[in-house]
Amino acid sequence: MKGMGRLLGSALKAPIKGKIGETLVQAGAAVMLPSSVYRQFHDVTLPTEGGTAQLDHVFVSVFGVFVVETKNMSGWIFGSEQDRNWTQVFPGGRKVRFPNPLRQNHGHVRALEDVMAGIGLPRGTVKSVVVFVGDAEFKRKMPENVTVGAGGAQHIRSFKAHVLSETQVAEVCEAIESKRMERSWETNRRHVRNVRREDPQAARHCPRCGRKMVLRTARKGQSAGKQFWGCEGFPACRMVEQAQS
């Protein structure tokens, strides 16, 4: 384990990994989900009754409203729709548990439904999609809305029935634009604080990859003796957070 100074110096790389995954999905969507048919919103933070909800991607069309959660992970992925946590297995056998992304995205779907409550959309209009990018490989049969890579866009395109009018599509887009919070570093920090206030256990999970955060003490450098939270997935994930004094 290197000193805290080196970890803090590389801490910015952790958000980059998550953003790379979101960018890959966004780039793929630009090719497979034309903007003339699917209105696209990325990195959407919405206020909720208890705090905030952060949605990676939202695609709005006459075929439905699709909320996409991205996971930039490698290794074998084990999990089912009912499990509270899923498991990531790396070469060599090391295992890491992370929160079920379907449950996580269910909260995002509900937040968006609340924003659109006054529009009067048909039930089931908002659909959840989870996309893994990177070298992830499923080792069990997953629900059809849990995909790898381009499978996310393919799943969205599989919906052919018109469930919304063009007027309703415009109303949904207007609701998202009017309710979304400003895209900024402070908005992201506020969201993390809200999540931890709502669920104390969340304070022990990496906000980037979902793995366990471990309280450590720096041994070298100017920060020697100070405590900090470091992701259990180090060095694959270098997320670091200052411990509250």
Side-chain angles (χ1 to χ4, degrees):
M1 181 69 185
K2 303 297 183 181
M4 183 180 181
R6 179 175 176 181
L7 280 175
L8 291 177
S10 59
L12 292 177
K13 295 181 181 178
I16 291 175
K17 181 179 180 183
K19 291 301 178 185
I20 288 175
E22 294 173 21
T23 301
L24 288 172
V25 171
Q26 183 174 339
V31 175
M32 300 187 66
L33 301 173
S35 58
S36 59
V37 180
Y38 300 90
R39 314 286 180 86
Q40 303 184 15
F41 299 87
H42 307 286
D43 191 14
V44 176
T45 303
L46 299 175
T48 64
E49 183 177 350
T52 54
Q54 198 168 62
L55 290 61
D56 290 341
H57 312 277
V58 181
F59 300 94
V60 185
S61 74
V62 295
F63 309 113
V65 181
F66 303 89
V67 179
V68 179
E69 172 73 13
T70 60
K71 294 296 180 186
N72 190 0
M73 305 180 77
S74 60
W76 292 346
I77 306 297
F78 294 85
S80 70
E81 190 171 3
Q82 294 74 30
D83 293 338
R84 180 178 179 84
N85 294 293
W86 289 8
T87 302
Q88 177 184 23
V89 181
F90 292 93
R94 186 169 67 89
K95 299 179 180 180
V96 175
R97 300 179 71 194
F98 62 98
N100 181 341
L102 285 171
R103 291 192 173 194
Q104 182 181 8
N105 211 33
H106 177 68
H108 300 163
V109 167
R110 288 193 303 171
L112 189 56
E113 288 176 334
D114 288 343
V115 165
M116 304 183 303
I119 301 177
L121 302 181
R123 186 174 183 178
T125 297
V126 186
K127 306 179 188 302
S128 172
V129 182
V130 176
V131 179
F132 282 79
V133 298
D135 298 324
E137 179 182 352
F138 300 145
K139 300 306 289 185
R140 294 178 182 171
K141 182 176 177 57
M142 291 288 184
E144 61 181 11
N145 63 328
V146 180
T147 69
V148 175
Q154 292 170 353
H155 176 70
I156 293 174
R157 288 180 55 144
S158 70
F159 291 85
K160 304 294 186 182
H162 287 222
V163 296
L164 299 179
S165 67
E166 291 292 351
T167 299
Q168 288 174 317
V169 168
E171 290 176 335
V172 169
C173 293
E174 182 180 355
I176 295 174
E177 286 287 11
S178 64
K179 295 295 185 179
R180 73 183 301 178
M181 299 170 64
E182 179 185 3
R183 294 177 64 179
S184 66
W185 176 250
E186 178 55 35
T187 295
N188 290 338
R189 292 187 63 183
R190 177 179 173 183
H191 172 67
V192 172
R193 289 196 298 267
N194 287 336
V195 170
R196 292 176 176 175
R197 184 176 65 249
E198 295 168 12
D199 180 7
Q201 291 300 319
R204 298 297 182 266
H205 288 90
C206 178
R208 273 296 157 206
C209 69
R211 303 172 197 170
K212 185 178 179 181
M213 293 291 279
V214 180
L215 188 62
R216 297 187 171 114
T217 302
R219 300 178 181 177
K220 301 179 181 179
Q222 296 180 346
S223 301
K226 295 183 179 179
Q227 290 190 312
F228 65 98
W229 291 102
C231 180
E232 185 182 53
F234 178 85
C237 177
R238 295 174 178 265
M239 185 66 190
V240 171
E241 294 183 344
Q242 181 179 359
Q244 298 296 321
S245 57

